[in-house]
Amino acid sequence: MVEGRTSVFGTFESYKLAFQENLNGPIPFCVGKSEDLCTNFLRGLDVDGHFAAMKLISFAYGGIRSSTALCLAGATPAVPSVLRASLEAMAYALLFERQPEWAKIWRERHEAKKSKYDFRNNSGSALRKQLENESAELSGRYNTLYNLLIDFGAHPNVLGVDSTIGYRPLEDGNVYVSFQQLTGAREREFAFVNITQATIFLLDILSVIWPTRASLFLVKEKQIEIIRLMHEYAPK
């Protein structure tokens, strides 16, 4: 894995080569095990009667996998934005499952002004209320991760932007500053933790919609092990 950082002022070819080389790096156990659990859960899943929710779940899962590839490559500044879209899609999947009228409004938002207005202005509060109705734990996980992703780059806030800048003190007392696009190991560690948290939330949503299958795959028990591995891996 390329440990150094790729400068914003380098050529695209050098960026691409570093990106590709980093993809061969290791995936943490917490990410690998959560990915395996999701894959097994979704394989052969009966989506009859759950099509609206499944569309959002598929989109969300694709975002998680894209984030994993970005993280491996070192393109961690892009991860929070992708994960936040996935997180919202998971929550909307649950909303559409419980309140199908919102799935209809969502489908019509580009065709009818009223649907566009209703979804833009009211779906967010409906989503959060639905999460609260399901459980305080589910709502808490969503809100915590949602705000964390915003802080670390889903919006161009200071924590996300600063991860793309390297500082090195010089002997004369000045500081050398470098502007980066591919970040180092520590930034990847933080991003892998966020990816694991997003996957745990996806497993929560899957478990709510398909509780029998969740029980069959021992999702709750395996989530506890994944969380333990995540805490062991998390940067100190």
Side-chain angles (χ1 to χ4, degrees), residues 49 52-53 92-107 130:
Y92 278 118
L94 177 60
L95 179 64
F96 294 174
E97 181 73 16
R98 296 294 196 240
Q99 302 181 50
E101 62 272 21
W102 276 111
K104 182 175 183 296
I105 294 170
W106 176 70
R107 286 195 305 271
Q130 185 60 56

Side-chain angles (χ1 to χ4, degrees), residues 9-187:
F9 303 114
T11 65
F12 177 73
E13 187 64 24
S14 65
Y15 174 90
K16 184 179 72 171
L17 290 173
F19 190 104
Q20 290 173 331
E21 183 177 344
N22 285 342
L23 288 174
N24 296 319
I27 294 177
F29 285 126
C30 55
V31 175
K33 286 188 176 294
S34 59
E35 159 69 23
D36 289 345
L37 185 53
C38 277
T39 300
N40 291 333
F41 194 110
L42 291 166
R43 186 180 290 121
L45 186 68
D46 182 6
V47 300
D48 186 42
H50 306 286
F51 185 63
M54 194 61 211
K55 287 193 294 185
L56 274 296
I57 287 169
S58 177
F59 174 86
Y61 195 29
I64 288 174
R65 285 179 159 176
S66 297
S67 296
T68 304
L70 288 168
C71 188
L72 273 172
T76 59
V79 169
S81 295
V82 178
L83 280 183
R84 197 189 77 156
S86 289
L87 186 68
E88 288 183 299
M90 298 173 214
Y92 278 118
L94 177 60
L95 179 64
F96 294 174
E97 181 73 16
R98 296 294 196 240
Q99 302 181 50
E101 62 272 21
W102 276 111
K104 182 175 183 296
I105 294 170
W106 176 70
R107 286 195 305 271
E108 296 174 349
R109 63 178 299 184
H110 298 296
E111 302 167 5
K113 287 185 178 180
K114 185 179 185 307
S115 294
K116 181 178 181 179
Y117 177 88
D118 286 345
F119 199 85
R120 178 176 291 177
N121 292 281
N122 301 318
S123 64
S125 58
L127 177 154
R128 284 175 168 79
K129 186 175 181 180
Q130 185 60 56
L131 289 171
E132 291 170 2
N133 289 341
E134 293 295 333
S135 74
E137 180 183 13
L138 193 66
S139 176
R141 279 186 179 171
Y142 178 83
N143 290 327
T144 298
L145 185 53
Y146 186 91
N147 290 318
L148 189 67
L149 292 173
I150 288 176
D151 286 343
F152 279 90
H155 292 169
N157 288 333
V158 64
L159 293 176
V161 172
D162 272 3
S163 72
T164 68
I165 301 173
Y167 300 94
R168 179 165 55 84
L170 300 175
E171 291 182 0
D172 61 6
N174 291 316
V175 177
Y176 174 80
V177 179
S178 57
F179 298 91
Q180 316 297 337
Q181 289 180 334
L182 298 184
T183 57
R186 187 166 178 80
E187 290 85 0

Side-chain angles (χ1 to χ4, degrees), residues 141 200 218-231:
R141 279 186 179 171
I200 289 169
L218 303 174
V219 169
K220 283 297 181 187
E221 292 84 347
K222 291 177 181 178
Q223 279 180 308
I224 292 171
E225 173 62 11
I226 290 167
I227 291 170
R228 183 187 67 79
L229 290 170
M230 180 183 71
H231 284 301

